[in-house]
Amino acid sequence: PAVIGAVQGMITGLVAITPAAGVVDGWGAIAIGIASGIIPWLSMNMLGKTALFRKVDDTLGVFHTHAVAGVLGGIMTGLLATKEGCAAFGLSNPGGAIDGNWHQVWLQIIGAAFIIALNIVVTYILLKLISLVVPLRMSEEELMIGDDAIHGEEAYAFYGDGERRPVTGD
């Protein structure tokens, strides 16, 4: 256990419960909380170590804490939404699979696929537009020097205002 792991666990829980907020019972929220602690962690520690993810710079685990937890929360909302929870928000939806409405699970999967596709397309377009103004990647020479040296700042500096100061041996 570490502070970063605890923070990521909190984020995955919040991301997963967001689509279900108000439409699931207390036990449904607990089930989503348990699943959001396990499945994104497994994805980070198994899928995150594959060759594909070794090529992706995802130091903070954003894919696992947001994409995996978000899709998980959406699908579990389709499973665990109750008629009463939906009615409380004025929704005509007859709940989720727990109340016999398996069609809602399918709608949640289609919704997740649409959002994933939209994110891919819009991100690609935005990155192309940004690359017309500034390069998206530093040169190999700059990468060898280091990000903190290029910007003149030091990450997680606990002294001063974060400006880099010479240390003996620098």
Side-chain angles (χ1 to χ4, degrees):
V3 173
I4 297 294
V7 169
Q8 286 186 322
M10 287 182 233
I11 292 169
T12 58
L14 289 169
V15 168
I17 197 61
T18 298
V23 297
V24 297
D25 284 343
W27 62 267
I30 291 170
I32 291 172
I34 291 169
S36 73
I38 296 170
I39 295 172
W41 184 88
L42 288 173
S43 114
M44 185 179 295
N45 288 288
M46 293 178 162
L47 181 65
K49 296 187 186 333
T50 62
L52 172 67
F53 275 91
R54 288 183 193 200
K55 295 178 182 180
V56 177
D57 184 15
D58 188 11
T59 308
L60 299 175
V62 173
F63 175 80
H64 310 285
T65 57
H66 287 83
V68 172
V71 170
L72 173 70
I75 293 171
M76 289 192 75
T77 299
L79 290 169
L80 301 173
T82 63
K83 290 179 187 176
E84 296 81 16
C86 292
F89 285 94
L91 303 174
S92 60
N93 186 353
I98 198 81
D99 283 329
N101 183 16
W102 284 94
H103 182 68
Q104 187 61 42
V105 178
W106 177 243
L107 292 175
Q108 297 294 108
I109 292 169
I110 291 170
F114 174 78
I115 294 300
I116 290 167
L118 180 68
N119 275 302
I120 290 169
V121 170
V122 171
T123 300
Y124 179 80
I125 291 168
L126 288 173
L127 287 174
K128 280 298 182 187
L129 290 172
I130 291 169
S131 72
L132 296 173
V133 179
V134 296
L136 294 177
R137 183 175 167 88
M138 286 191 250
S139 68
E140 289 299 320
E141 197 174 85
E142 290 173 321
L143 287 171
M144 292 305 290
I145 294 170
D147 197 24
D148 56 345
I150 295 296
H151 295 292
E153 295 179 357
E154 192 167 328
Y156 308 109
F158 294 111
Y159 55 84
D161 56 2
E163 291 181 14
R164 184 163 172 78
R165 298 182 184 143
V167 179
T168 306
D170 270 0

